[in-house]
Amino acid sequence: MWAAKKCHYYIVDLLLKNGADPLLTDDQGFNLLHSAALDGNVYQIALLLHQDIPVDVPDAQGHTSLMWAAYKGFPVVINVLLAWGANVYARDAQGFTALHWALVKGQQHCIF
């Protein structure tokens, strides 16, 4: 997690190639893909998705990376996740979709 947060892509790649589990979560329930979506880190998302990480894996509250990208207002991240097959109909524990989260935060530029 630390290497990923500090954008040390070569270290993240090395760790993944040597068996690190990208689906482990931090104390908030976020895995590496959630964290990258929250930061708008397209490069890390591309690296992780090439590791066969499920694009729609939920966090502890049922939020997917697509929901976090919509909430934070990162349209480029949204495009990458959609290109990798992210489910626009996925719902979190509250029943919200990525579209709901974009609207909640007023991220009109994330609504396609």
Side-chain angles (χ1 to χ4, degrees), residues 53-71:
I53 295 173
V55 70
D56 288 320
V57 63
D59 66 14
Q61 291 78 38
H63 305 117
T64 64
S65 296
L66 182 64
M67 291 175 195
W68 282 119
Y71 178 82

Side-chain angles (χ1 to χ4, degrees), residues 38-51:
L38 283 161
D39 293 339
N41 192 331
V42 175
Y43 298 113
Q44 185 170 315
I45 289 170
L47 171 70
L48 293 169
L49 290 173
H50 278 92
Q51 304 297 319

Side-chain angles (χ1 to χ4, degrees), residues 8-81:
H8 295 294
Y9 303 118
Y10 295 112
I11 301 299
V12 172
D13 187 49
L14 179 67
L15 290 167
L16 291 171
K17 285 180 180 174
N18 284 283
D21 184 355
L23 296 178
L24 289 177
T25 58
D26 63 12
D27 58 341
Q28 294 180 301
F30 299 141
N31 65 33
L32 289 178
L33 193 58
H34 299 135
S35 181
L38 283 161
D39 293 339
N41 192 331
V42 175
Y43 298 113
Q44 185 170 315
I45 289 170
L47 171 70
L48 293 169
L49 290 173
H50 278 92
Q51 304 297 319
D52 293 327
I53 295 173
V55 70
D56 288 320
V57 63
D59 66 14
Q61 291 78 38
H63 305 117
T64 64
S65 296
L66 182 64
M67 291 175 195
W68 282 119
Y71 178 82
K72 295 288 278 190
F74 297 126
V76 174
V77 172
I78 291 169
N79 282 333
V80 169
L81 293 169

